Amino acid sequence: MTEHTSTLAPFRHDVFRSVWIANIASNFGTIIQGVGAAWMMTLISDSADLVALVQAAAAAPIMLFSTLSGAIADNFNRRRVMLVGQGFMLAVSVMLVVTAWFGGLTPWLLLAFTFLLGCGTALNNPSWQASVGDMVPRADLPAAVLLNGLGFNITRSLGPAIGGVIVAFAGGVGAFVFNAFSYLPIMTVLMRWRPSIPESPLPREPLIIAIGAGLRYVAMSPNIGKVLLRAAISGGGSVAILALLPLVARDILQGGPLLYGVMLGFFGAGAVFAALFSSGIREKLSAEWSIRLCFIGFAICTTIIALSTTAWITCPALMIGGACWVLSTSFFNVTVQLSTPRWVLGRTLSLYQTAMFSGVALGSWIWGLFAEQHGTSDALLIASCWLVAGGALGFFPRLALPQQKELNLDPLNRWKEPHLALDVTPRSGPIVINIEYIIREEDTAEFLNVMLERRRIRRRDGARHWSLARDLEDPTLWYESYRTPTWMDYIRHNHRMTHADAVVGEHIRRLHAGTEPPRIHRTIERPVKWNEVVAPSSKGMVDLHH
């Protein structure tokens, strides 16, 4: 299969193709809306800080609410969540059109509408990104993520120029009207799509518990943590280009909204060009070296924009920035998706977005303040130094991105709920698990190394108070122990086991020297006060409900 065919492989799937085309229309509206909002702010306010805050207002909700949205994406029907998000953004867009049409738009009201649109994006994005795996097989997932980025940047190439024309001839209101209509195609496709997703045998997790599970999974996954850190640094530095571009067009290049749109078009054109060659870059360079080069490319772009006084130099430099933008975001996104099982994918992607847009929101505000106090050019030069430092972090082994691996993160589905003598309900607990291993003396060091990974997996998937003990009278006996708050949590813990995790369990079983498999003791903690002890222990005679 050729590289070109591999890149376009997801288009063989009808659902992905239809959603991709509908997203093109939606992305056009979003970008044109952004052009209109940014330029209108320059008309109704002279503050560079407020101009930069347009980007911050759009990104802040993603930073604040994506974690909650990720839990919603993993616990509810993702198609319906996306429809709610799109419908909310449609309603906000209509209110923005009406307000602007009657001349009631103020700088802070514009920021408020932009913030509300960002809230709709925060709700929609985790479900949308997690749904890509429902539209294409896992083998096509990297190409699908890349094509989504390509589609967005095609609209970024053309949308800003079109937005500049619309703003020049119809004002910001025209841009807002276009955006309102752009939600209709994607809503139509989503209403017609009926994904075939197997229902979970487990009840829905409460949102607070689901959020905690997502945070725990990322905290216990060092490779994902590296991606989140580098994404936040990248977003915080590279956003200086987009946040300050209206000021570059107006103050440095002495242009209007049409020039601003053309400049954004060059940024998008660079992204499209880079996306076409992304597969080759992924094959030839490691993820870390690819990200380092993206940081350096961002820094070069930002420096040229800061020093240039002519559009003939600034516009080609923006193509470098656009290329680095699509490459870095696609590398980050694919690394997260290939490192996360389906049960927690929405939450992990939401945390990735939170990290990225935290950098974007804070960076927009910081660079706006620098531009207000020291000038746009100096702010861009400081951002360039930030980006160089961000790329240099990759030389520290603990911060370098992992090499992408093809892990089988499908559920193992091997665990069967055991028959119990006690009448246990889903909320009964705490549950204490003890597992006995027989390990030969010569295998002790290897066993301990493997149990380090076992501990990480157990804790990542919800186990608490994990410990490993050795028998003092028989040193070949080892006891693994952990707890879960309830019996349902214990069931969830076992259902989260993936094929990749099972490799660790199989390694431990090979080290086990007993003639029988490792013995598992499942117990439940009980109070010892005399009036709380129930003597009978047979099933149906004791209530363990907490």
Side-chain angles (χ1 to χ4, degrees):
M1 182 179 291
T2 65
E3 180 179 306
H4 179 70
T5 303
S6 177
T7 301
L8 301 179
F11 284 141
R12 296 176 300 187
H13 308 284
D14 293 339
V15 172
F16 178 83
R17 187 171 62 251
S18 298
V19 173
W20 189 86
I21 293 172
N23 260 320
I24 292 286
S26 180
N27 289 338
F28 262 121
T30 300
I31 291 174
I32 291 172
Q33 152 79 25
V35 173
W39 193 257
M40 180 166 282
M41 186 62 84
T42 66
L43 300 178
I44 61 179
S45 173
D46 293 328
S47 170
D49 191 20
L50 285 175
V51 173
L53 278 178
V54 173
Q55 288 283 338
I62 301 176
M63 174 185 68
L64 296 174
F65 306 128
S66 279
T67 305
L68 174 62
S69 300
I72 293 173
D74 285 332
N75 280 276
F76 293 87
N77 184 293
R78 288 168 181 161
R79 183 184 70 90
R80 293 175 184 171
V81 173
M82 288 188 283
L83 280 171
V84 171
Q86 296 288 336
F88 175 79
M89 288 187 283
L90 173 60
V92 172
S93 296
V94 170
M95 289 190 290
L96 175 57
V97 168
V98 172
T99 304
W101 178 266
F102 288 102
L105 202 60
T106 65
W108 289 105
L109 195 55
L110 176 58
L111 290 176
F113 278 119
T114 303
F115 181 86
L116 289 175
L117 288 172
C119 289
T121 302
L123 176 62
N124 178 81
N125 280 1
S127 291
W128 155 238
Q129 294 195 35
S131 293
V132 175
D134 300 328
M135 301 176 190
V136 300
R138 190 172 183 83
D140 290 339
L141 186 59
V145 172
L146 177 62
L147 286 172
N148 283 335
L150 176 62
F152 176 76
N153 285 288
I154 288 174
T155 57
R156 186 188 288 277
S157 300
L158 303 176
I162 297 173
V165 172
I166 292 175
V167 172
F169 289 96
V173 178
F176 302 153
V177 169
F178 189 100
N179 181 51
F181 278 100
S182 73
Y183 295 110
L184 300 179
I186 187 64
M187 292 180 69
T188 301
V189 171
L190 289 175
M191 284 188 285
R192 296 176 60 185
W193 178 37
R194 293 294 186 271
S196 177
I197 302 174
E199 290 193 18
S200 172
L202 303 176
R204 184 178 296 148
E205 284 184 283
L207 286 180
I208 298 300
I209 294 177
I211 291 172
L215 292 171
R216 181 180 60 245
Y217 187 92
V218 171
M220 299 303 298
S221 302
N223 287 339
I224 296 178
K226 295 175 184 178
V227 176
L228 268 56
L229 175 63
R230 301 293 291 285
I233 295 171
S234 174
S238 60
V239 75
I241 300 172
L242 296 177
L244 300 180
L245 204 57
L247 301 177
V248 173
R250 186 190 68 182
D251 301 335
I252 297 179
L253 302 183
Q254 304 296 311
L258 184 58
L259 175 60
Y260 173 57
V262 170
M263 292 167 68
L264 283 176
F266 271 88
F267 187 91
V272 172
F273 182 79
L276 295 176
F277 296 94
S278 176
S279 297
I281 295 174
R282 286 168 57 88
E283 291 177 1
K284 296 177 181 178
L285 296 176
S286 67
E288 175 54 40
W289 268 108
S290 299
I291 292 300
R292 289 177 192 172
L293 292 178
C294 287
F295 271 102
I296 297 302
F298 274 133
I300 292 172
C301 171
T302 307
T303 301
I304 293 175
I305 295 172
L307 300 178
S308 170
T309 57
T310 172
W312 295 105
I313 297 176
T314 300
C315 287
L318 283 167
M319 293 185 69
I320 301 174
C324 294
W325 181 275
V326 73
L327 290 175
S328 61
T329 54
S330 65
F331 282 134
F332 288 141
N333 192 301
V334 168
T335 301
V336 170
Q337 295 225 30
L338 293 181
S339 304
T340 308
R342 300 293 299 168
W343 71 268
V344 74
L345 181 57
R347 281 163 281 186
T348 306
L349 285 170
S350 73
L351 289 170
Y352 157 67
Q353 288 190 23
T354 299
M356 170 67 81
F357 283 93
S358 293
V360 169
L362 293 174
S364 297
W365 176 61
I366 291 171
W367 306 130
L369 289 178
F370 269 110
E372 184 79 27
Q373 298 177 8
H374 304 288
T376 302
S377 294
D378 287 347
L380 288 169
L381 289 173
I382 296 172
S384 178
C385 296
W386 170 279
L387 290 163
V388 171
L393 289 177
F395 289 101
F396 295 92
R398 290 189 177 182
L399 299 178
L401 294 186
Q403 185 60 38
Q404 293 175 2
K405 299 178 181 179
E406 292 294 335
L407 299 175
N408 186 351
L409 298 177
D410 292 332
L412 187 61
N413 291 329
R414 185 186 298 169
W415 187 80
K416 303 296 182 182
E417 189 169 350
H419 172 75
L420 303 177
L422 293 181
D423 191 10
V424 175
T425 68
R427 292 173 56 193
S428 296
I431 304 299
V432 182
I433 308 301
N434 289 283
I435 308 174
E436 294 182 14
Y437 303 100
I438 300 175
I439 305 298
R440 290 182 291 266
E441 184 66 32
E442 61 269 24
D443 294 330
T444 298
E446 183 179 357
F447 174 74
L448 290 174
N449 286 332
V450 179
M451 291 305 285
L452 283 174
E453 181 66 6
R454 168 58 69 88
R455 179 182 64 176
R456 186 187 70 82
I457 293 173
R458 293 285 197 207
R459 295 172 61 189
R460 183 200 66 192
D461 290 351
R464 302 181 181 182
H465 306 294
W466 187 95
S467 66
L468 183 65
R470 192 176 193 180
D471 196 296
L472 291 175
E473 297 180 0
D474 183 357
T476 65
L477 280 179
W478 293 79
Y479 305 95
E480 178 189 8
S481 177
Y482 64 92
R483 301 181 183 186
T484 61
T486 67
W487 180 251
M488 179 54 64
D489 290 314
Y490 176 63
I491 295 174
R492 289 189 194 280
H493 172 81
N494 285 281
H495 276 278
R496 289 168 178 170
M497 183 72 66
T498 67
H499 287 272
D501 297 333
V503 173
V504 175
E506 291 167 0
H507 191 170
I508 294 172
R509 281 188 290 274
R510 286 196 300 270
L511 295 174
H512 175 66
T515 57
E516 298 291 332
R519 188 176 180 184
I520 302 175
H521 299 273
R522 302 176 182 90
T523 62
I524 184 168
E525 286 189 354
R526 303 310 301 146
V528 295
K529 294 181 181 179
W530 69 270
N531 61 337
E532 297 183 22
V533 175
V534 182
S537 59
S538 59
K539 197 163 188 175
M541 299 181 65
V542 58
D543 182 11
L544 300 178
H545 183 76
H546 272 30

